[in-house]
Amino acid sequence: MSVLYALLFYVATVLFVVGLAVKIRQYAKTPAPLKIPTTPAPVTQSGVVLRMAREVVLFESLFKSNKWIWLFGYLFHVGLALVILRHFRYFQDPVWDVIVIAQPFGIYAGLAMLAGLLGLWARRLFVERIRYISVPSDHLILALLVLIAISGLNMKFLDHTDIVMVKQFMLGLMVFDIRELPTDFPLLLHLALVAVLMIIFPISKLLHAPGVFFSPTRNQVDNPREQRHVAPWARELDK
Ligand code: HEM
């Protein structure tokens, strides 16, 4: 079982890293021929950086457009960020101070993450306009994340696993030394679902995470009156 999971994680990691790199390269090379920042927009580059930071940290444009989606989306994402921070302890020895400090918050974050996900899912199920535009992958990704959160919380509160062994296994993977993994079902389920998440990430809508930085409506300076905008691929023609 340890060898099987080690192979699963090596494959998942390669697909995740290479897939993400290919996608980011593709985004970076896609021309943005038109000046289309959503106005009112910053007129300087540092203003754009500030706007992007507000978008990433506070989900500003979502807040302006829909308070309910913002609330559930924010709960989920902040919860997820803290849960991931808490999980760093399985991958480092000694553990950084900031990760130690995050530990107690991480537990509530798991619950917040689940509450956010259920709120977002309820919206897809019960709001008719949203149900109409929801496709199977929207539901499947929500189901995957909900199952990861529930299987993790189950280990935290009910069926405990041997986290020292889990840590040894993960540290071993990082130096290509396959060590023993506990074989209790909740852990195996949690890890298998995480591997599925890593594999589908580069071919799913979850790409909005890196994608937001490449959005022309968000990353452009509002200066079309001061400066001529020419997409890089059109520079030759413009001479
Ligand atoms: C290879 C990566 C991962 C490993 C080895 C892992 C392992 C674990 C373990 C052992 C626990 C139980 C903690 C305890 O008993 O104190 C746990 C909990 C949890 N996991 Fe994971 N997990 C991984 C990735 C993830 C990911 C990517 C997510 C979210 C998408 C996630 C979400 C959770 C949640 C919400 C909990 C419960 C709250 C907590 O203890 O932080 N896990 N995980």
Side-chain angles (χ1 to χ4, degrees), residues 49-61 70 74 77-78 208-210 212-213 218:
V49 171
L50 202 70
R51 179 195 219 188
M52 188 61 88
R54 288 200 310 270
E55 189 64 20
V56 172
V57 178
L58 304 172
F59 298 6
E60 184 182 46
S61 62
W70 179 85
Y74 205 71
H77 284 89
V78 171
H208 68 269
V212 62
F213 297 99
R218 294 280 169 277

Side-chain angles (χ1 to χ4, degrees), residues 80 86-87 89-90 148 152-153 155-156 170 190-191 194:
L80 176 66
R86 187 172 135 83
H87 275 66
R89 65 179 168 158
Y90 301 121
I148 292 176
L153 287 164
M155 275 188 288
K156 176 74 215 157
M170 287 297 159
H190 189 67
L191 296 185
V194 169

Side-chain angles (χ1 to χ4, degrees), residues 213-228:
F213 297 99
F214 297 94
S215 169
T217 57
R218 294 280 169 277
N219 70 13
Q220 290 187 342
V221 183
D222 185 9
N223 61 357
R225 285 157 230 86
E226 292 79 19
Q227 232 170 299
R228 181 171 165 77

Side-chain angles (χ1 to χ4, degrees), residues 163-174:
I163 56 171
V164 176
M165 255 174 108
V166 174
K167 178 168 181 152
Q168 283 312 315
F169 177 79
M170 287 297 159
L171 288 175
L173 280 191
M174 290 160 61

Side-chain angles (χ1 to χ4, degrees), residues 4-62:
L4 193 72
Y5 268 72
L7 291 177
L8 178 65
F9 270 99
Y10 285 137
V11 170
T13 305
V14 169
L15 291 175
F16 178 73
V17 173
V18 175
L20 211 54
V22 167
K23 276 293 173 184
I24 289 176
R25 202 178 113 93
Q26 182 190 336
Y27 290 163
K29 287 177 73 175
T30 302
L34 305 175
K35 252 304 178 192
I36 50 167
T38 308
T39 56
V43 293
T44 61
Q45 195 59 44
S46 46
V48 166
V49 171
L50 202 70
R51 179 195 219 188
M52 188 61 88
R54 288 200 310 270
E55 189 64 20
V56 172
V57 178
L58 304 172
F59 298 6
E60 184 182 46
S61 62
L62 181 60

